[in-house]
Amino acid sequence: MIKNLARTAALTLLLAPLTLPTQATAAGVPAAAAPAAAVLALADAVDLVPVADESRTGYTRDKFKHWNAGLDPADGCNTRAEVLLDEATAAPEVAAGCKLSGGTWLSYYDGQEVTDPGKLDIDHMVPLAESWDSGASNWDAKRREAYANDQDAAVSLVAVTARSNRAKADRDPAEWMPPLPDAQCRYISEWTATKLRWGLTADQAEADALKVYAEACETTVVQYTPAP
């Protein structure tokens, strides 16, 4: 799947930053350049996340519309179902109304294999409440909806066991990490990529934790493209 390929690329070393080519309009005038994709060492990427105090004043979950009609409104599947279809290691059956059954998924937070889609949550890599604390409170409703349904970045949404997602809740890496040790470098990379993609900040405790993990994950890279 496309997202799986993108995730593999995010963990590949020795890639250089690239700029996507512009496209010409019908009138022959160059269109605006697409945002540049960047690949950085984890420690360098962590250093780019601004440090700022956080505030949850005014937050409610319903300020982030989700799940919407997804990338393909014609397929009858919402964002949640599209992520499940994309991340399945064995494809589920799809019935009318995009009802999924069967299939297999690997929850990377805890290493659990899951064969019932109802036992999976779609986790926002940076939880909605955390995004609000670190910048999304200043966004309009349309941008918050785009954030909550972001399938254009491979790491923004991830299918994991409901148990691990609910253990995480709205906590940042200073407060929670995946219980599977082998998942932790990947998790810090994807957390940092999401913060950079959306221009979000980190509080001091979070920034300190990211730096500690970055030192331990010295061969890990971060790939991200700024959100439109």
Side-chain angles (χ1 to χ4, degrees):
M1 292 290 182
I2 292 173
K3 282 179 63 183
N4 292 332
L5 292 173
R7 179 172 287 116
T8 300
L11 300 176
T12 303
L13 297 177
L14 302 179
L15 294 177
L18 63 95
T19 301
L20 301 179
T22 60
Q23 295 179 339
T25 65
V29 178
V39 180
L40 303 169
L42 177 56
D44 293 336
V46 166
D47 285 342
L48 293 180
V49 179
V51 178
D53 293 336
E54 294 183 351
S55 172
R56 196 157 297 184
T57 301
Y59 170 75
T60 58
R61 190 171 176 83
D62 61 9
K63 290 182 178 177
F64 294 80
K65 181 181 178 182
H66 69 292
W67 304 111
N68 65 18
L71 289 178
D72 181 6
D75 68 4
C77 298
N78 65 11
T79 298
R80 170 186 160 82
E82 288 184 355
V83 172
L84 288 172
L85 287 168
D86 190 80
E87 296 193 356
T89 56
E93 295 183 3
V94 184
C98 200
K99 183 176 180 180
L100 308 183
S101 60
T104 306
W105 292 263
L106 180 64
S107 168
Y108 94 81
Y109 289 179
D110 50 13
Q112 297 297 305
E113 187 174 83
V114 180
T115 56
D116 178 358
K119 294 183 178 179
L120 292 162
D121 281 355
I122 304 304
D123 183 36
H124 293 93
M125 175 55 57
V126 175
L128 300 181
E130 167 67 21
S131 73
W132 178 273
D133 299 350
S134 52
S137 59
N138 297 318
W139 299 346
D140 62 19
K142 184 177 180 180
R143 188 165 181 80
R144 287 197 289 268
E145 180 180 353
Y147 177 85
N149 297 274
D150 184 16
Q151 294 186 70
D152 290 325
V155 303
S156 294
L157 302 171
V158 58
V160 294
T161 57
R163 176 182 296 181
S164 64
N165 183 46
R166 293 164 198 183
K168 172 182 173 179
D170 58 9
R171 295 186 287 178
D172 68 33
E175 304 163 313
W176 184 89
M177 286 290 289
L180 187 66
D182 288 348
Q184 293 180 355
C185 289
R186 173 180 170 181
Y187 183 76
I188 290 295
S189 171
E190 295 184 356
W191 179 280
T192 303
T194 305
K195 287 261 170 160
L196 291 174
R197 171 169 168 76
W198 289 93
L200 299 172
T201 62
D203 65 20
Q204 191 61 60
E206 176 189 346
D208 291 344
L210 293 176
K211 289 179 180 180
V212 169
Y213 283 105
E215 290 178 1
C217 302
E218 59 184 4
T219 63
T220 301
V221 299
V222 172
Q223 177 175 297
Y224 74 96
T225 302

